[in-house]
Amino acid sequence: MALPKLPSRFGALDAAFLNFECKEMPLHIGGVCIFEGAIPFEHFVATIESKLDLIPRYREKVMFPFLNIGYPTWQYDPDFNIRRHIVHVKLDPPGSDEQLRELAGRIFTPLLDRNKPLWEMHVVDGLAGGRSALICKVHHCIVDGVAGIGLMNVMLDPSPEERRLPKKKPYRPPKPPDGASLFVDAFTDSLAQIPKRLADVRDAVMGYGSLLRNDNVAAVGLERVVDRMPELLSPLEHLPFNRPCSGERRVFWTEFPFAEARAIRTACGCTVNDVVLTVVAGAVAKYTKLHGQTVKNRFFRPMVPVNVRPQEEAIGAFGNLISLMLVALPLGIRDPIARIKHIHELTQAMKGARTPELLRLSLAWLGLLPPPVQAFLAGNLGWLNTPIPLFHMVCTNVPGPQLPLYTCGKRMVACYPHVPTGMDVGISVAIESYDQKLYFALTTDALAAPDGERMVGFLEASFKELREAAGVPKTEPHVTRTRAPRKAKPKARKAAPKPKPVAEPDVTAMLAEGTAEEETLEDATLIQEEELEPVL
């Protein structure tokens, strides 16, 4: 079997995710996916194994050169056994969602074993209603959020129609290099990369300067960002959940109709990402007041990862291609409409000024440090624990597929993403859109945020307040049609009638559109392109 050829050497950002990891801050991402019916375990294992040629990183493990003289490399694991990665678990009756969340927290707590490829899947049976679940974890050095969605699209199926599995091929990996070869290759590669990294930084600086000279929108956006510098750079106080973490993970989740979020977007003239940030800021304000702290004249600064990967490269992509955006969201604005307008003006200014590109340029300078220095700094996180926090929370919003996915013929009915948290960040939130719903998933640290589950109620209250303030009616629960197996194309079809002109859509029309039986792929793509696409 010819194994796929990918770059074996880690990039700087991929290596950082590996080096920064510690017991108090496991750096795997993943999610909890719930399916209709029970997933047949043996058939599922065979199905995933048949797709591993499309996911070569799932057969590769990390190898470090001596003294971290260069970045680590991916090498095929000669002892790879899929049974070490896919586990069968059964919940005790009654199989509640609370039991599933407790199980997910226990699974997300430990670090992935670096002596084998860095991924795991747990097939969970015994959920109430005959349902089953997949709890997936994969190290962040393998994929970022958008690449993770692409990975999910590979591992799951777009139709309930089950395909015949191909004949199993023998796995014959090449012999891994010895320690001396790894050291020599890493050392020579590090020396060879210095001129390239210098040239990349120079080109990025010149490119951003040219952008400001030639793009009026960028120049105006930068001017607006500069006007807000006192707000963006004002010293931050620790929020109640900004305390040292233990590494013990707990997960909580909730969901909202995507149609309502899109209707709020239309009514307020903003983006879905602005809706998400407004809801999260409202929930954080409620949590802060719960702990007896004031929100007057205080800001909440989430770290928002931003996708810089072209959409056509998401499926089948590996590694991390992201930047960051740090936004200062007001906690003291009680009116949801005033809050969302403030947030929209800020995010538009930062997008116009291309601040994600500017921050990515700043991170590129860190890549000039020799790999051993990078590994040393990452392994000694004390320098990051400052009296003034760099940010309060990780908040990532990943656009997912708007049509249902399946495994072994079972439809996925919910998908709750998982994002890391750690250091002195006790709560992180990940949002993913899937099949006409927005799924909010909280990762909390048991020590830093022992009452983190209260954020679920605060998110729901914050969303409700924003929806009602925007004049958006509540929608009925949405049920997506299960796609039937493909049928042969009929020989002749009647011409489709010419569509009649329609009036300009209002909020009600927007809701009707969002709750339609099925959204086209073109519409789903449009949703992704028109939003600021944070990923992690």
Side-chain angles (χ1 to χ4, degrees):
M1 176 180 62
L3 298 175
K5 185 67 176 176
L6 288 174
S8 61
R9 184 75 57 190
F10 273 58
L13 188 54
D14 300 337
F17 280 117
L18 203 63
N19 291 329
F20 270 102
E21 186 175 54
C22 59
K23 180 181 75 70
E24 295 78 17
M25 188 171 65
L27 288 178
H28 45 256
I29 61 175
V32 180
C33 306
I34 300 177
F35 292 82
E36 291 179 336
I39 297 173
F41 180 74
E42 294 298 332
H43 184 49
F44 176 78
V45 173
T47 299
I48 298 301
E49 192 167 25
S50 73
K51 298 181 178 184
L52 289 183
D53 287 350
L54 303 174
I55 318 169
R57 289 287 185 255
Y58 271 35
R59 283 189 175 125
E60 296 174 329
K61 66 178 183 179
V62 181
M63 298 192 72
F64 294 88
F66 182 61
L67 297 177
N68 285 314
I69 195 66
Y71 293 136
T73 57
W74 294 106
Q75 304 292 341
Y76 279 101
D77 181 6
D79 301 318
F80 175 79
N81 184 343
I82 197 169
R83 299 286 176 167
R84 299 172 66 198
H85 296 269
I86 304 181
V87 181
H88 199 185
V89 183
K90 186 175 180 62
L91 291 179
D92 295 328
S96 65
D97 285 353
E98 181 179 359
Q99 289 174 270
L100 179 62
R101 289 194 296 269
E102 290 176 354
L103 174 64
R106 294 198 300 271
I107 289 173
F108 288 140
T109 292
L111 305 179
L112 285 162
D113 183 357
R114 296 194 180 185
N115 294 313
K116 62 181 183 179
L118 299 176
W119 66 277
E120 290 178 1
M121 284 184 174
H122 295 252
V123 180
V124 184
D125 287 339
L127 275 173
R131 299 168 301 155
S132 55
L134 283 179
I135 302 177
C136 309
K137 55 191 286 191
V138 56
H139 203 282
H140 212 321
C141 68
I142 296 181
V143 289
D144 56 27
V146 165
I149 293 295
L151 183 64
M152 182 174 70
N153 283 325
V154 171
M155 303 188 77
L156 302 181
D157 302 316
S159 166
E161 182 179 11
E162 296 189 59
R163 62 185 180 88
R164 178 177 296 178
L165 296 181
K167 185 179 179 180
K168 187 176 179 179
K169 300 177 182 179
Y171 171 62
R172 298 190 180 95
K175 184 179 179 180
D178 57 29
S181 299
L182 283 175
F183 180 84
V184 172
D185 290 345
F187 181 71
T188 55
D189 181 76
S190 294
L191 292 178
Q193 287 295 319
I194 291 175
K196 181 180 183 302
R197 290 172 189 151
L198 287 169
D200 288 345
V201 171
R202 179 203 62 199
D203 294 344
V205 171
M206 294 177 62
Y208 189 76
S210 176
L211 177 70
L212 294 180
R213 287 195 306 271
N214 301 322
D215 188 340
N216 291 332
V217 174
V220 171
L222 184 60
E223 183 178 347
R224 292 166 62 188
V225 169
V226 170
D227 291 339
R228 291 181 176 269
M229 277 300 176
E231 173 184 316
L232 295 173
L233 299 181
S234 60
L236 299 178
E237 302 175 53
H238 284 83
L239 292 172
F241 49 80
N242 295 130
R243 298 187 291 174
C245 292
S246 66
E248 181 183 348
R249 293 290 168 258
R250 295 175 180 172
V251 296
F252 307 96
W253 54 61
T254 187
E255 62 207 47
F256 306 105
F258 197 18
E260 292 182 7
R262 294 172 64 190
I264 294 170
R265 172 199 64 184
T266 301
C268 297
C270 60
T271 68
V272 169
N273 194 54
D274 295 329
V275 174
V276 165
L277 291 176
T278 302
V279 171
V280 173
V284 170
K286 295 177 187 297
Y287 186 88
T288 302
K289 289 189 285 187
L290 172 71
H291 285 261
Q293 297 186 15
T294 181
V295 296
K296 185 177 181 181
N297 298 324
R298 293 184 69 181
F299 289 90
F300 158 58
R301 182 183 293 163
M303 183 184 75
V304 183
V306 178
N307 176 42
V308 293
R309 189 190 304 275
Q311 185 177 337
E312 63 274 10
E313 297 180 10
I315 296 180
F318 296 96
N320 290 267
L321 199 55
I322 58 175
S323 183
L324 306 173
M325 187 170 71
L326 296 174
V327 291
L329 310 181
L331 291 178
I333 300 179
R334 298 184 60 182
D335 179 10
I337 300 301
R339 189 190 315 134
I340 197 171
K341 289 187 179 300
H342 182 101
I343 290 173
H344 176 66
E345 290 174 4
L346 176 61
T347 56
Q348 288 301 109
M350 299 190 79
K351 283 177 64 178
R354 308 290 180 89
T355 52
E357 286 93 331
L358 185 60
L359 185 54
R360 190 166 178 236
L361 172 61
S362 303
L363 295 175
W365 285 97
L366 296 178
L368 296 178
L369 294 174
V373 176
Q374 294 180 41
F376 174 79
L377 292 176
N380 294 270
L381 297 178
W383 62 278
L384 286 176
N385 294 324
T386 59
I388 301 174
L390 301 176
F391 57 90
H392 291 121
M393 176 187 287
V394 176
C395 182
T396 176
N397 176 19
V398 183
Q402 292 308 301
L403 298 174
L405 296 175
Y406 305 80
T407 188
C408 301
K410 311 300 181 183
R411 185 166 73 93
M412 185 168 75
V413 295
C415 185
Y416 303 101
H418 168 73
V419 66
T421 195
M423 292 190 301
D424 59 353
V425 179
I427 299 178
S428 290
V429 59
I431 302 96
E432 181 178 323
S433 56
Y434 166 70
D435 196 17
Q436 302 302 331
K437 286 186 178 180
L438 275 180
Y439 293 92
F440 282 64
L442 297 161
T443 301
T444 72
D445 186 88
L447 178 65
D451 61 349
E453 71 275 7
R454 297 294 299 272
M455 279 287 289
V456 172
F458 293 151
L459 285 169
E460 293 169 348
S462 181
F463 185 88
K464 180 182 178 182
E465 290 169 359
L466 179 59
R467 175 175 55 78
E468 292 178 348
V472 173
K474 184 174 178 59
T475 62
E476 294 298 324
H478 172 66
V479 178
T480 302
R481 174 177 61 87
T482 300
R483 290 181 286 190
R486 295 179 180 178
K487 296 181 179 180
K489 184 178 179 181
K491 294 182 179 180
R493 290 185 177 178
K494 294 183 180 179
K498 186 176 181 180
K500 298 179 181 179
V502 296
E504 184 177 349
D506 56 12
V507 170
T508 304
M510 194 68 188
L511 282 171
E513 175 192 351
T515 55
E517 182 177 56
E518 182 174 274
E519 183 174 294
T520 66
L521 285 172
E522 182 180 2
D523 289 339
T525 302
L526 178 63
I527 293 168
Q528 295 186 26
E529 291 177 345
E530 69 186 355
E531 305 303 339
L532 179 67
E533 294 183 4
V535 299
L536 216 170

